[in-house]
């Protein structure tokens, strides 16, 4: 690789490129005088020239040829901003698909060289795979700016739309010839490709794919992605038309008047500047002008306006759209006309934003000859209640189970789960002052479902109380001296660090572009922050493994002590979970086991009096100077004796918290059952 600019790479990136650990790279740097000099950064976090590193690895027979795609990414990442890198990746896809580029004069020579290298690799190892790799890396870097639809969710949406389009009209669109699929806010094309795959599977002979996005880079990426799929994956069947435009669909629809069979859309959320003033008299608002605060209902009506008679649309929407007072008039009109056919609540974590239960809205335009309204019922399905998140465990969506449940609910099968968590609600019940379409409001758990859950909850609660009693007996039996004992000499964390008995590392804020929201991937590194601790203590974001952010992060390993450096969340505990990156004001302490007992140290540090001693001032927002926290100096054997007591105290605290949560749930469920009159009569 030779480019006119030096592409910087960190030690962590070199380790990933070479297929080794970071420690091995540090060892090479120390042992080999020929190892390249750093071109930027600091001695602690150096950066090196990618070209120099590649040459050194090749000369020393350490080049990992199996990771050739990995060598591409640093060059693309160094091109500049988000748009420059995205445009270069789009050009790679365009060339790999066989299209003639129309941007050659606008591309810098060094960028053109990098693009040609990627195209050459794609032609040797697979164009689709190479483009997908670059696109995935680009989306990972900009995950906070670009919300994409996960592939399993996109596939489910496409299946729901095809079924709804078949509906009362008979056959699905794909069974009788061509099918037109549209996404008016297509992003990088996830939903368009899912719609194409579902239509192919249903028998469509010719596909027309229409997409638009106001972000020109995203539109370009979607266009290249679809063209590449057409050239490599669908040679046996002709695509009737592919058109992706860079346009704001609400303000300037590039496909106005084009009848469409299927519309799939994951529109922007909560945008106030969506065109309220200039679109006040637009003909698309057949259910009424959307209020300024209801942009999602503008997208709903826009998607409906694209449909041919008998066509269907599926949208991902935030849950507030189903209940906000400002949108009740439009929701009521959608119900009265029968165009809104189903609302499905997904479990939190299925798509961004991961903290809320997003909804799927299924809509259908009546076919010619159908009465209006075509249905006097709305299907509501509550997958959020069917697949609850266990706060004690790491949770990722079980897409196979979620998709099966939603399909069973929509198809009104005899599945017990679908019968319990889904219901056809008469529209007349919904047309009240609220017109609240939230599925959970209209689905009452059945006795057959509640009884097993209560039985399981009581079983767990009984076990918890037994463990609480056991732990309480052990703690109550501790022989605490009543007389004042001689106070041993105290030392501080700072003094122990200087003596080499422990190491203290302060967490830091990773670059925003490196943070992924939601549950971590299987190999992702959870990122714990003080705001997480103030909510429920569970990390709400993560870092991708092997990235520069991970290489520079402070990682708490099992057995380390985590100390919170702010008074309002002050605590200290022995970390027992997976390796976790620490954010600002969190500190990782690693002890020398031949000098310090970790449980003794953690228990000593978290004493409230200790925090007051080390606080910078008296408010609960003050910072704690962790280096000033005090520990009694006692022999190691004595530390271990106290450490066992601290460990038991920690276990007791966890049991009490879980028992409190479970007890609250039991009170709620039993209250519902008693209020419903389900107490059995005495004989």
């Amino acid at each position: 690789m030779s480019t006119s600019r030096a592409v910087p790479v960190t030690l962590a990136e070199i380790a990933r490129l070479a297929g080794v650990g970071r420690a091995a790279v540090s060892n090479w740097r120390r042992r080999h005088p020929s190892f390249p000099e750093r071109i930027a950064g600091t001695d602690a976090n150096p950066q090196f020239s990618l070209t120099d590193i590649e040459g050194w690895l090749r000369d020393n027979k350490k080049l990992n040829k199996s990771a050739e795609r990995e060598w591409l990414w640093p060059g693309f990442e160094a091109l500049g901003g988000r748009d420059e890198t995205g445009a270069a990746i789009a050009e790679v896809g365009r060339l790999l698909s066989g299209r003639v580029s129309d941007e050659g004069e606008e591309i810098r020579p060094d960028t053109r060289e990098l693009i040609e290298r990627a195209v050459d690799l794609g032609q040797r190892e697979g164009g689709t795979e190479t483009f997908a790799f670059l696109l995935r890396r680009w989306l990972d870097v900009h995950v906070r700016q670009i919300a994409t639809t996960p592939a399993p969710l996109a596939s489910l949406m496409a299946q729901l739309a095809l079924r709804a389009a078949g509906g009362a009209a008979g056959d699905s669109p794909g069974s009788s010839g061509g099918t037109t699929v549209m996404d008016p806010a297509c992003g990088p094309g996830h939903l368009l490709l899912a719609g194409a795959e579902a239509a192919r599977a249903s028998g469509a002979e010719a596909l027309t794919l229409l997409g638009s996005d106001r972000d020109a880079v995203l539109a370009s990426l979607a266009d290249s992605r679809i063209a590449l799929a057409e050239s490599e994956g669908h040679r046996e069947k002709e695509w009737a038309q592919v058109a992706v435009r860079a346009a704001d669909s609400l303000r300037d629809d590039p496909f106005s008047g084009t009848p469409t069979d299927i519309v799939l859309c994951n529109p922007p959320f909560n945008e106030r500047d969506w065109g309220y003033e200039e679109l006040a008299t637009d003909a698309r608002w057949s259910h009424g002008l959307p209020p300024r605060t209801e942009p999602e209902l503008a997208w709903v009506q826009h998607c409906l306006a694209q449909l041919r008679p008998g066509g269907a649309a599926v949208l991902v929407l935030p849950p507030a759209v189903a209940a906000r007072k400002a949108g009740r008039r439009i929701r009521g009109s959608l119900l009265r006309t029968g165009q809104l056919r189903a609302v499905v609540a997904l479990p939190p974590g299925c798509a961004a934003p991961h903290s809320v239960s997003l909804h799927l809205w299924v809509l259908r335009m009546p076919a010619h000859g159908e009465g209006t309204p075509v249905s006097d019922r709305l299907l509501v399905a509550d997958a959020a209640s069917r697949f609850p998140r266990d706060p004690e465990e790491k949770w990722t969506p079980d897409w196979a189970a979620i998709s099966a449940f939603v399909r069973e609910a929509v198809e009104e099968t005899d599945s017990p789960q679908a019968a319990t968590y889904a219901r056809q609600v008469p529209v007349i019940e919904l047309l009240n002052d609220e017109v609240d379409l939230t599925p959970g409001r209209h689905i009452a758990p059945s006795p057959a479902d509640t009884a097993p859950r209560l039985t399981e909850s009581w079983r767990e609660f009984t076990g918890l109380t037994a463990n609480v009693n056991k732990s309480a007996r052990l703690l109550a039996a501790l022989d605490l001296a009543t007389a004042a004992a001689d106070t041993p000499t105290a030392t501080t964390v700072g003094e122990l660090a200087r003596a080499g008995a422990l190491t203290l590392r302060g967490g830091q804020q990773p670059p925003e572009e490196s943070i992924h929201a939601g549950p971590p991937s299987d190999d992702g590194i959870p990122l714990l922050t003080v705001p997480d601790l103030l909510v429920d203590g569970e990390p709400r974001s993560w870092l991708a493994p092997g990235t520069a952010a991970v290489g520079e992060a402070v990682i708490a390993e099992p057995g380390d002590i985590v100390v919170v450096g702010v008074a309002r969340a002050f605590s200290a505990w022995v970390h027992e979970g997976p390796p976790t990156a620490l954010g600002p004001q969190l500190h990782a302490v690693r002890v020398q086991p031949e000098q310090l007992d970790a449980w003794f140290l953690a228990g000593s540090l978290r004493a409230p009096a200790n925090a007051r001693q080390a606080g910078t001032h008296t408010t609960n927002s003050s910072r704690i100077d962790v280096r000033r926290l005090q520990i009694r100096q006692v022999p190691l054997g004595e530390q271990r004796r106290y450490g066992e007591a601290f460990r038991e105290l920690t276990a007791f605290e966890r049991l009490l918290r879980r028992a409190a949560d479970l007890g609250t749930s039991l009170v709620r469920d039993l209250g519902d059952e008693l209020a419903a009159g389900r107490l059995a009569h005495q004989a």
Side-chain angles (χ1 to χ4, degrees):
M1 174 180 177
S2 64
T3 59
S4 57
R5 293 177 300 146
V7 176
V9 288
T10 64
L11 289 173
E13 289 172 320
I14 296 170
R16 187 180 70 248
L17 294 171
V20 298
R22 178 173 172 173
V25 179
S26 298
N27 190 39
W28 294 342
R29 185 187 180 200
R30 184 171 58 253
R31 290 178 51 206
H32 296 274
S34 60
F35 195 88
E37 295 291 330
R38 67 179 175 91
I39 61 171
T42 64
D43 285 335
N45 294 297
Q47 294 181 343
F48 305 87
S49 164
L50 178 64
T51 303
D52 294 345
I53 290 296
E54 183 179 6
W56 187 88
L57 291 174
R58 181 178 289 106
D59 293 342
N60 288 271
K61 298 181 172 54
K62 300 180 185 296
L63 187 63
N64 182 14
K65 294 184 178 179
S66 63
E68 195 167 354
R69 285 184 196 141
E70 294 283 356
W71 285 95
L72 287 174
W73 177 245
F76 279 92
E77 191 174 27
L79 289 178
R82 163 192 179 276
D83 291 353
E84 291 82 357
T85 302
I89 295 170
E91 180 70 3
V92 170
R94 198 161 27 238
L95 293 173
L96 285 171
S97 69
R99 289 187 180 183
V100 177
S101 172
D102 56 359
E103 300 184 8
E105 295 182 358
E106 302 176 10
I107 298 176
R108 299 194 309 251
D110 54 345
T111 304
R112 170 61 61 189
E113 183 180 352
L114 183 62
I115 290 171
E116 290 173 352
R117 185 182 181 210
V119 171
D120 176 68
L121 179 62
Q123 290 171 342
R124 289 186 283 111
E125 296 193 0
T128 300
E129 294 79 5
T130 300
F131 178 79
F133 167 81
L134 293 172
L135 177 60
R136 183 173 63 252
R137 281 299 183 88
W138 184 77
L139 290 173
D140 284 347
V141 168
H142 303 289
V143 67
R144 294 223 166 175
Q145 304 170 30
I146 304 168
T148 58
T149 308
L153 176 57
S155 178
L156 175 61
M157 292 171 64
Q159 294 170 27
L160 294 178
L162 282 167
R163 187 190 181 281
D171 296 332
S172 64
S175 62
S176 58
T179 298
T180 301
V181 178
M182 177 186 291
D183 183 350
C186 67
H190 290 64
L191 285 170
L192 280 175
L193 281 179
E197 292 170 2
R200 288 289 191 205
S202 71
E205 292 298 325
L207 271 174
T208 296
L209 300 182
L210 306 177
S212 56
D213 199 286
R214 64 188 181 191
D215 187 320
V217 173
L218 291 177
S220 181
L221 285 164
D223 186 45
S224 295
R225 188 178 182 188
I226 293 168
L228 193 57
E230 178 184 13
S231 66
E232 293 200 354
H234 301 283
R235 295 182 187 276
E236 73 284 359
K237 293 182 179 180
E238 179 185 358
W239 295 47
Q241 180 186 357
V242 175
V244 181
R245 303 283 184 262
D248 184 335
S249 293
L250 288 183
R251 287 185 169 91
D252 184 19
D253 182 10
F255 304 114
S256 178
T258 303
T260 304
D261 297 294
I262 299 297
V263 176
L264 305 172
C265 189
N266 185 351
F269 294 169
N270 301 321
E271 292 200 338
R272 299 299 179 92
D273 184 22
W274 56 269
Y276 174 80
E277 289 84 0
E278 58 261 48
L279 299 175
T281 60
D282 198 284
R284 290 171 291 181
W285 314 142
S286 58
H287 298 281
L289 173 65
R292 186 191 304 275
T293 57
E294 295 287 339
E296 295 86 5
L297 290 177
W299 283 101
V300 167
Q301 295 191 77
H302 171 72
C303 291
L304 277 171
Q306 309 298 321
L307 295 175
R308 69 169 79 246
V314 177
L315 292 85
V316 183
L317 298 174
V321 181
R324 278 193 297 240
K325 183 177 180 180
R328 61 185 177 179
R329 177 173 51 86
I330 293 176
R331 294 195 299 270
S333 178
L334 290 167
L335 291 173
R336 282 188 288 269
T337 60
Q339 292 178 356
L340 180 59
R341 309 304 295 273
V343 177
V344 178
L346 298 171
C350 285
H354 293 273
S355 60
V356 300
S357 168
L358 296 174
H359 289 181
L360 295 181
W361 282 30
V362 182
L363 303 110
R364 183 173 179 274
M365 185 65 67
H368 292 305
E370 290 181 348
T372 303
V374 296
S375 174
D376 63 352
R377 292 176 180 272
L378 175 74
L379 171 72
V380 293
D382 192 3
S385 296
R386 170 65 184 87
F387 302 97
R389 296 181 62 168
D390 186 344
E392 298 295 316
E393 297 180 4
K394 175 182 174 181
W395 189 91
T396 55
D398 183 348
W399 280 111
I402 293 171
S403 299
F405 163 74
V406 173
R407 288 193 298 267
E408 289 168 356
V410 170
E411 295 168 7
E412 298 183 65
T413 66
D414 294 331
S415 162
Q417 299 299 338
T420 300
Y421 294 99
R423 179 190 172 205
Q424 289 281 358
V425 184
V427 166
I428 193 66
E429 290 186 16
L430 300 169
L431 294 175
N432 50 32
D433 290 341
E434 295 179 338
V435 195
D436 190 338
L437 309 182
T438 305
R441 291 284 302 272
H442 307 287
I443 300 173
S446 69
D449 175 65
T450 304
R453 188 172 71 247
L454 280 171
T455 300
E456 176 61 25
S457 294
W458 278 120
R459 184 198 63 76
E460 183 184 354
F461 190 78
T462 301
L464 280 171
T465 53
N467 288 331
V468 167
N469 288 332
K470 178 181 177 181
S471 186
R473 286 194 300 270
L474 291 172
L475 292 171
L478 292 177
D479 186 11
L480 302 179
T482 56
D486 293 337
T487 303
T489 304
T491 186
T492 65
V493 170
E495 291 169 348
L496 289 172
R498 286 191 292 273
L502 59 81
T503 57
L504 174 66
R505 296 168 295 150
Q508 55 190 319
Q509 179 65 38
E512 283 294 315
E513 62 271 13
S514 69
I515 301 174
H516 302 250
S521 64
D522 291 340
D523 56 353
I525 307 297
L527 172 63
L528 183 65
T529 65
V530 170
D532 294 337
L533 295 173
L534 293 173
V535 178
D536 59 9
E538 292 298 315
R540 281 171 164 70
S541 54
W542 55 282
L543 307 175
T547 60
V550 170
E552 297 170 1
V554 171
I555 307 293
E557 301 285 351
D560 288 349
I561 300 167
V562 178
V563 186
V564 185
V566 289
R568 57 181 174 173
F570 176 72
S571 186
W573 65 91
V574 177
H575 181 61
E576 297 179 292
T580 300
L582 302 182
Q585 301 307 314
L586 297 178
H587 305 264
V589 177
R590 182 168 300 171
V591 304
Q592 294 294 336
E594 66 276 6
Q595 300 182 56
L596 287 172
D597 179 83
W599 285 96
F600 165 75
L601 182 60
S604 300
L605 293 179
R606 68 176 297 182
N610 212 354
R612 290 193 295 271
Q613 170 74 22
T616 54
H617 49 82
T618 58
T619 69
N620 65 359
S621 62
S622 66
R623 294 184 179 183
I624 302 297
D625 186 349
V626 175
R627 301 182 69 86
R628 291 174 54 198
L629 291 171
Q630 296 188 351
I631 308 96
R632 295 183 305 120
Q633 289 185 300
V634 296
L636 185 58
E638 186 76 353
Q639 291 182 35
R640 289 171 178 163
R641 191 167 71 92
Y642 272 89
E644 287 301 315
F646 278 130
R647 187 195 292 262
E648 189 62 46
L649 187 61
T650 300
F652 183 64
E653 181 182 34
R654 290 173 180 168
L655 288 169
L656 290 176
R657 287 178 178 172
R658 178 57 184 158
D661 291 341
L662 190 58
T664 300
S665 176
L666 281 166
V667 169
R668 183 179 60 247
D669 288 345
L670 280 172
D672 283 342
E673 293 298 292
L674 293 173
R678 296 197 180 108
L679 188 65
H681 294 288
Q682 296 295 325

